[in-house]
Amino acid sequence: MSFKDKTVVVTGGANGIGRAVVHGFSGQQARVVIADKDENAGKELEDEIQESGGSALFVKTDVSEPNSIKVMVKRAVKEYGAIHNLINNAGISEFKPFDELTIENWDRVLNTNLRSAFVCSREMAVVIKTSGGGSIVNIASTRALMSEPGSEAYAASKGGLLALTHAMAVSLADYGISVNAISPGWIHTGDYKKLREKDHQQHLSKRVGKPDDIARACLFLCNPENNFITGENFVIDGGMTRKMIYEP
Ligand code: NAI
């Protein structure tokens, strides 16, 4: 569908998956707000989209700081007058042996990955409602559902996002907002050519994921025709969490 005259805010939109999401929406004529703390990459992406005839606004934002989010939302509304879709994508991971995980690590990861999604959604909910409704997509992780050692803070933040998703889907139903989560598996944001054959073959899909795999799912969930879908989590991982592993 065309997202002409629709505005989407993508947190962490300057790099990796977020950047692909920004390109995906911009390719469908949306106005995109890139909310990221990486000023160089964010500005460069804003310029790139504007030079190709699209509409983009970069706002330097630290989503772990509630006040920075408020300033960003004000800026977005001032520029575009409306917001329809929010992709809560910004995230960090800090893996540490369990007994070395500090309160600072925990707070940094939880505030960046989870509290940010709550604050962004709270600050934008009424704006989305008065813009005629829309969608929120929270980017969680398959690590919300399964673990390797030392991933407690990250796993908890992503598990929290899944719970936040169904809670907000209920609270924001009367705002005309659908709320869903996407749980990506291995999405390679670096040089895809450097991956080994066994990296690909361990997936049921026989390939590692690409940022565009997640971008297309965001476009699907933000299409107003798909607003019968809400409160759900979509695992997009090439089938990795469906694969049972026993040593032969
Ligand atoms: P990335 O590190 O390539 O990009 C993250 C972006 O978020 C960067 O532009 C960074 O500047 C921004 N960011 C980080 N902290 C921020 C803050 N406090 N305020 C504003 N912006 C901030 O990461 P990637 O791989 O693109 O991941 C995006 C999301 O997808 C994250 O939430 C991550 O947890 C999730 N994810 C990624 C997977 C993968 O395999 N790449 C797998 C599962 C989930």
Side-chain angles (χ1 to χ4, degrees):
M1 76 163 272
S2 164
F3 280 85
K4 192 167 177 347
D5 299 327
K6 302 279 187 194
T7 303
V8 56
V9 175
V10 184
T11 69
N15 298 288
I17 292 171
R19 195 178 180 97
V21 173
V22 165
H23 274 302
F25 276 96
S26 177
Q28 302 301 321
Q29 297 170 287
R31 303 174 292 217
V32 285
V33 179
I34 305 154
D36 203 296
K37 64 178 188 183
D38 183 341
E39 198 162 10
N40 289 338
K43 265 261 146 225
E44 184 200 278
L45 181 57
E46 180 192 61
D47 290 347
E48 192 184 315
I49 290 175
Q50 281 173 355
E51 277 159 24
S52 64
S55 184
L57 171 72
F58 168 70
V59 187
K60 188 174 180 193
T61 312
D62 180 350
V63 295
S64 67
E65 293 290 339
N67 205 45
S68 178
I69 292 173
K70 285 188 183 187
V71 171
M72 177 269 290
V73 175
K74 262 199 181 152
R75 204 51 227 295
V77 171
K78 188 161 178 245
E79 183 78 16
Y80 292 131
I83 297 173
H84 305 90
N85 300 299
L86 162 64
I87 313 296
N88 284 312
N89 163 78
I92 53 167
S93 56
E94 292 185 19
F95 289 7
K96 280 209 149 180
F98 183 61
D99 51 7
E100 291 173 23
L101 184 65
T102 64
I103 300 297
E104 287 73 25
N105 295 135
W106 177 269
D107 286 348
R108 191 161 44 240
V109 173
L110 269 288
N111 290 344
T112 305
N113 296 4
L114 178 58
R115 190 178 71 183
S116 64
F118 153 60
V119 178
C120 283
S121 304
R122 189 192 63 189
E123 292 304 313
M124 282 178 238
V126 171
V127 184
I128 298 176
K129 182 183 178 188
T130 53
S131 305
S135 273
I136 296 175
V137 179
N138 296 320
I139 305 297
S141 168
T142 47
R143 290 176 188 275
L145 308 168
M146 61 199 306
S147 293
E148 289 177 303
S151 61
E152 281 72 19
Y154 187 78
S157 73
K158 297 301 189 176
L161 273 178
L162 297 193
L164 181 68
T165 298
H166 62 70
M168 289 200 309
V170 174
S171 299
L172 301 182
D174 289 343
Y175 288 53
I177 303 175
S178 62
V179 186
N180 291 288
I182 292 173
S183 287
W186 180 354
I187 303 297
H188 202 68
T189 55
D191 186 351
Y192 202 76
K193 290 192 274 314
K194 287 202 175 135
L195 291 169
R196 302 160 303 174
E197 194 47 32
K198 70 175 184 183
D199 299 331
H200 295 296
Q201 289 305 322
Q202 65 185 288
H203 292 77
L204 300 185
S205 58
K206 305 299 178 199
R207 68 170 178 89
V208 172
K210 298 176 181 181
D212 281 345
D213 290 315
I214 305 305
R216 284 193 300 276
C218 289
L219 287 168
F220 178 82
L221 290 171
C222 291
N223 181 336
E225 275 190 357
N226 296 328
N227 71 358
F228 197 55
I229 306 170
T230 190
E232 283 305 319
N233 173 42
F234 293 84
V235 174
I236 300 181
D237 69 343
M240 284 286 275
T241 48
R242 289 298 186 198
K243 193 169 138 187
M244 201 173 273
I245 298 174
Y246 286 106
E247 288 292 329

